[in-house]
Amino acid sequence: MYECITCYCGIKYITQMIWLISRWEEERYTDGSKWKFLEHKGPVFAPPYEPLPSNVKFYYDGKHMKLSPEAEEVATFFAKMLDHEYTTKDIFRKNFFKDWRKEMNAEEKAKLTDLKKCNFTEMSEYFKAQSEARKAMTKDEKLKIKEENERLLQEYGFCIMDNHRERIANFRIEPPGLFRGRGDHPKMGMLKRRIRPKDIIINCSKDSKHPEPPPGTKWKEVRHDNKVTWLVSWTENIQGSIKYIMLNPSSRIKGEKDWQKYETARRLKKCVDRIRTQYHEDWKSKEMRIRQRAVALYFIDKLALRAGNEKEEGETADTVGCCSLRVEHIKLYPENDGQEYVVEFDFLGKDSIRYYNKVPVEKRVFKNLQLFMENKEPDDDLFDRLNTSVLNKHLQELMDGLTAKVFRTYNASITLQQQLKQLTSADENLPAKILSYNRANRAVAILCNHQRAPPKTFEKSMQNLQTKIDAKRDQLSDAKRELKSAKADTKCCLPGQPCSPVITLCKKAVQRIEEQLMKLEVQATDREENKQIALGTSKLNYLDPRISVAWCKKWGIPVEKIYNKTQREKFAWAIDMADEDFEF
DNA sequence: GTGCAGACTTAGAAGCTGGACG
DNA sequence: CGTCCAGCTTCTAAGTCTGCAC
């Protein structure tokens, strides 16, 4: 018996033949519909607020004060974050206090006027104790919770879309709390409201069994829009944007889209030379807007910058992408460290991650940049005649489906392919090949500027690893010594004659330890090189998985070595279809 | 063109867990 | 058998891009 591998329906089949036509080859809709049938159970709401036990006290100006449940709940959000840097930031505190006051009753409002006089430490201690208690639970208790989670997952975590039972990505509604923006976000600390059934729009097919709202409540709306893929939506109160519940990356609908994305990038591969020639030409255009477009496109292509949409000032952190670069974000050096025409980039990109890079550029680009910056203030737009919509309209004319982000996908994937070719050598063993893979992955992560905060435990874990390596070295020299003495003892290990069993054993031991040592050393190198670089984002979003699958097949590397279970599920389509000669 | 809503992808951090290790 | 931490999972913010109204 074979269980269905194309979704989570659990149907058992007698033969595997059924998958000769895999789900990736099922017929696709041509009219813009995303599905014909959609049935699900709706979202899981955040658990209701549980008031604190009466012995956990809040103090204002040193004096105990009993808070109303509404005010108390918001206070606990702050208390839970007390150890976080956020709560020391002025904007966070100001926003929090303003929103907290809105939840207070008249009496509280009159009394609580200064956040500095609020003492949340007992609350904070209480939550810490709770989390300790959770950790200290018995196996049985933990198992119970696990089973309950599993039950919830089985009931709410799946939907039926067309003929498949699909996993839902985020079936739980975001619980209320304090907004944590990234970087210098002007709204950090604001209260994220609790979402109620009357905020929720349900999307499902007419002929499905509609999800029921909790007893005594109503949905905002139930609609049947098969031109979109979401199951549930609501409007969030911080930015007023819409949030969605959608399917897991393993689903047909996400997988097909992902596949399509890489196919678009492969089409770019076929015409990228032509496009490059054209923008080189356009640097000479007599129209300023065309020159700006051409220089911006050059950056997007060469440096894998994001498009850079305009953002509403004061609503979000001040971050930029290519089209929204300002004069203050670049510096020009006619000559720098022996190189000519160097541009220094220094700006905050998505998630307020700093992009810093010094790159030599063509003379024409350099001269154009000088021209664009003439008579401008530091906070003026570098490309004042350009925005993402103009740029994307132009790209659309160059190739069907071409937008700025396709360049990132294309350059990431082509870099991986080329790096793998360059770095993999046939005579290396498995750990070394995997190191090569990670290095190729790393080259892409650096190109895309995927950074992470160095893990808090980095230094320590590096030290631990070094200790292990030292121990392994000692072990190796011991093993070698033993081998030597074994040889001396038996004397005869003549050519052509089998060694004594003792010697064979010793030799095997040495070999095994050498391999273990090698593995540890490789691990140390890998980790050191990875200190501030995040590989996950590029692996998940930019690298055509078929390149990796082909590489694995070519070198006989089990795909599990580079993709964990979740990743294999997401990339099932690629694992299904790529053979070792796949070329991006 | 511009502004905005909407839908969807991309992103790093936080939280959790299971397997290695003493 | 308990501890610890790396790797995985979850979370949700922050982008991109399209389409529509004016």
Side-chain angles (χ1 to χ4, degrees):
Chain A
M1 291 292 248
Y2 300 88
E3 198 163 304
C4 178
I5 54 164
T6 72
C7 72
Y8 296 93
C9 66
I11 294 174
K12 303 266 198 301
Y13 294 94
I14 296 167
T15 72
Q16 258 178 320
M17 298 301 282
I18 195 112
W19 299 304
L20 279 177
I21 293 176
S22 88
R23 63 186 311 188
W24 314 111
E25 289 147 294
E26 283 172 17
E27 218 167 300
R28 286 193 247 166
Y29 299 106
T30 49
D31 61 348
S33 325
K34 305 291 169 67
W35 45 263
K36 279 201 189 82
F37 181 80
L38 174 60
E39 183 170 287
H40 58 93
K41 288 289 190 74
V44 171
F45 289 93
Y49 178 63
E50 276 183 42
L52 294 170
S54 55
N55 64 321
V56 180
K57 298 189 180 101
F58 167 77
Y59 300 91
Y60 185 72
D61 207 8
K63 287 186 281 292
H64 169 223
M65 182 173 171
K66 175 79 187 154
L67 297 173
S68 65
E70 293 76 20
E72 185 188 88
E73 179 177 12
V74 180
T76 65
F77 298 153
F78 194 84
K80 281 179 182 166
M81 291 180 74
L82 221 49
D83 287 339
H84 203 287
E85 204 202 331
Y86 272 122
T87 58
T88 64
K89 295 188 178 176
D90 269 355
I91 302 179
F92 188 94
R93 298 173 66 89
K94 197 182 118 264
N95 287 334
F96 161 72
F97 199 56
K98 189 173 164 204
D99 280 5
W100 187 26
R101 286 180 58 80
K102 289 181 202 157
E103 303 301 312
M104 293 176 187
N105 59 33
E107 194 194 334
E108 289 162 338
K109 232 181 233 172
K111 212 165 164 191
L112 305 177
T113 53
D114 184 1
L115 181 56
K116 283 206 286 299
K117 292 182 180 167
C118 296
N119 181 344
F120 301 93
T121 44
E122 271 192 24
M123 292 184 185
S124 171
E125 295 302 324
Y126 171 72
F127 291 123
K128 276 183 213 161
Q130 290 245 301
S131 110
E132 285 309 308
R134 226 171 299 131
K135 272 184 220 155
M137 281 186 308
T138 65
K139 261 192 187 149
D140 244 25
E141 291 171 311
K142 282 183 182 167
L143 189 68
K144 267 223 177 94
I145 294 178
K146 209 178 162 186
E147 278 169 355
E148 172 59 15
N149 277 334
E150 181 59 27
R151 195 191 62 76
L152 220 60
L153 173 68
Q154 289 303 324
E155 178 163 7
Y156 294 96
F158 294 84
C159 73
I160 307 289
M161 184 174 275
D162 292 343
N163 297 312
H164 298 281
R165 181 168 184 248
E166 304 269 31
R167 185 80 190 269
I168 297 168
N170 54 326
F171 58 91
R172 287 169 207 271
I173 298 280
E174 296 173 18
L178 303 182
F179 177 73
R180 303 151 88 114
R182 311 266 170 86
D184 274 331
H185 197 115
K187 299 194 170 181
M188 63 165 79
M190 282 174 64
L191 175 64
K192 240 178 82 161
R193 260 193 26 239
R194 179 179 290 275
I195 304 302
R196 303 142 301 175
K198 64 173 182 186
D199 301 315
I200 295 288
I201 303 174
I202 297 286
N203 193 32
C204 61
S205 59
K206 260 190 196 138
D207 58 347
S208 74
K209 195 165 163 287
H210 303 184
E212 287 296 330
T217 66
K218 278 190 173 149
W219 302 125
K220 180 178 183 181
E221 183 191 337
V222 175
R223 67 170 78 153
H224 312 291
D225 180 358
N226 77 344
K227 298 289 194 282
V228 297
T229 67
W230 54 266
L231 320 185
V232 172
S233 76
W234 71 93
T235 302
E236 153 269 351
N237 68 299
I238 304 288
Q239 326 263 5
S241 65
I242 308 168
K243 299 254 183 165
Y244 304 93
I245 291 182
M246 290 186 186
L247 295 195
N248 195 72
S250 61
S251 59
R252 183 218 94 216
I253 210 149
K254 296 288 183 188
E256 262 176 22
K257 199 82 191 293
D258 207 34
W259 177 18
Q260 203 181 78
K261 172 180 80 184
Y262 292 112
E263 287 306 299
T264 305
R266 291 175 85 198
R267 280 192 289 118
L268 173 57
K269 185 191 178 187
K270 290 187 196 140
C271 62
V272 74
D273 288 337
R274 189 193 88 219
I275 291 171
R276 285 174 177 159
T277 311
Q278 163 142 32
Y279 69 61
H280 273 71
E281 279 304 306
D282 288 346
W283 293 340
K284 297 180 264 182
S285 169
K286 52 186 188 309
E287 272 190 86
M288 188 60 109
R289 56 174 196 97
I290 290 175
R291 285 196 192 204
Q292 290 195 355
R293 196 178 69 192
V295 170
L297 185 51
Y298 168 74
F299 286 162
I300 284 168
D301 184 19
K302 183 185 172 80
L303 305 172
L305 299 190
R306 295 189 184 82
N309 285 307
E310 301 103 299
K311 303 170 66 181
E312 214 179 325
E313 213 174 323
E315 294 293 299
T316 59
D318 177 20
T319 62
V320 297
C322 186
C323 295
S324 51
L325 279 170
R326 298 191 297 261
V327 169
E328 60 195 323
H329 295 131
I330 67 168
K331 271 191 191 149
L332 304 180
Y333 300 96
E335 207 246 286
N336 184 281
D337 289 339
Q339 289 179 308
E340 281 188 308
Y341 309 121
V342 172
V343 184
E344 181 184 53
F345 292 83
D346 193 352
F347 61 89
L348 297 181
K350 179 174 178 180
D351 291 329
S352 294
I353 296 290
R354 184 178 180 205
Y355 183 92
Y356 180 83
N357 202 0
K358 258 184 185 176
V359 274
V361 301
E362 277 85 339
K363 183 177 179 183
R364 273 228 158 74
V365 171
F366 195 88
K367 295 284 166 197
N368 272 314
L369 288 170
Q370 284 179 324
L371 187 64
F372 304 159
M373 291 164 81
E374 243 170 50
N375 302 317
K376 281 190 191 167
E377 297 296 321
D379 63 349
D380 285 338
D381 287 338
L382 177 65
F383 302 115
D384 53 301
R385 310 276 171 94
L386 184 70
N387 60 40
T388 53
S389 118
V390 170
L391 178 64
N392 280 335
K393 261 182 207 127
H394 171 65
L395 293 175
Q396 186 57 241
E397 282 162 16
L398 299 180
M399 184 193 104
D400 180 44
L402 187 61
T403 61
K405 87 186 186 81
V406 179
F407 281 87
R408 245 167 106 81
T409 312
Y410 161 72
N411 280 308
S413 287
I414 202 78
T415 301
L416 178 77
Q417 186 170 73
Q418 172 259 323
Q419 286 287 305
L420 283 177
K421 238 175 228 163
Q422 194 181 320
L423 296 174
T424 318
S425 61
D427 47 352
E428 280 178 333
N429 62 10
L430 190 100
K433 285 213 179 74
I434 294 190
L435 176 63
S436 298
Y437 181 86
N438 287 341
R439 283 187 161 150
N441 191 165
R442 196 141 49 231
V444 176
I446 290 168
L447 175 71
C448 295
N449 199 40
H450 291 143
Q451 297 185 31
R452 61 167 184 178
K456 286 192 181 70
T457 53
F458 185 82
E459 290 308 327
K460 203 169 91 196
S461 83
M462 240 13 233
Q463 255 169 23
N464 288 349
L465 195 54
Q466 193 55 48
T467 314
K468 272 193 210 170
I469 290 175
D470 293 343
K472 199 49 84 178
R473 287 220 175 97
D474 291 346
Q475 204 186 338
L476 180 63
S477 50
D478 286 353
K480 278 184 175 165
R481 204 172 316 119
E482 267 176 50
L483 173 62
K484 215 172 176 181
S485 73
K487 275 182 180 165
D489 284 353
T490 51
K491 282 172 214 149
C492 55
C493 190
L494 299 171
Q497 277 195 0
C499 296
S500 88
V502 181
I503 292 180
T504 316
L505 235 54
C506 285
K507 276 188 179 163
K508 281 215 173 119
V510 168
Q511 206 182 355
R512 200 186 59 234
I513 295 167
E514 271 176 345
E515 262 170 35
Q516 288 169 342
L517 177 64
M518 159 87 173
K519 210 173 155 185
L520 286 172
E521 281 172 335
V522 161
Q523 206 185 340
T525 314
D526 210 19
R527 197 180 296 174
E528 184 65 49
E529 289 177 2
N530 243 5
K531 187 175 178 180
Q532 301 198 64
I533 298 168
L535 299 187
T537 303
S538 49
K539 202 178 201 176
L540 243 40
N541 300 301
Y542 289 103
L543 301 176
D544 188 332
R546 292 169 297 182
I547 299 170
S548 301
V549 172
W551 180 84
C552 283
K553 289 199 172 149
K554 177 164 181 195
W555 299 106
I557 289 161
V559 103
E560 297 78 38
K561 296 282 176 196
I562 58 162
Y563 289 142
N564 66 30
K565 185 164 158 283
T566 314
Q567 294 165 338
R568 292 198 299 278
E569 282 173 359
K570 164 163 178 165
F571 297 137
W573 60 271
I575 295 171
D576 243 20
M577 66 172 86
D579 58 28
E580 73 170 87
D581 340 291
F582 173 81
E583 178 105 18
F584 176 77

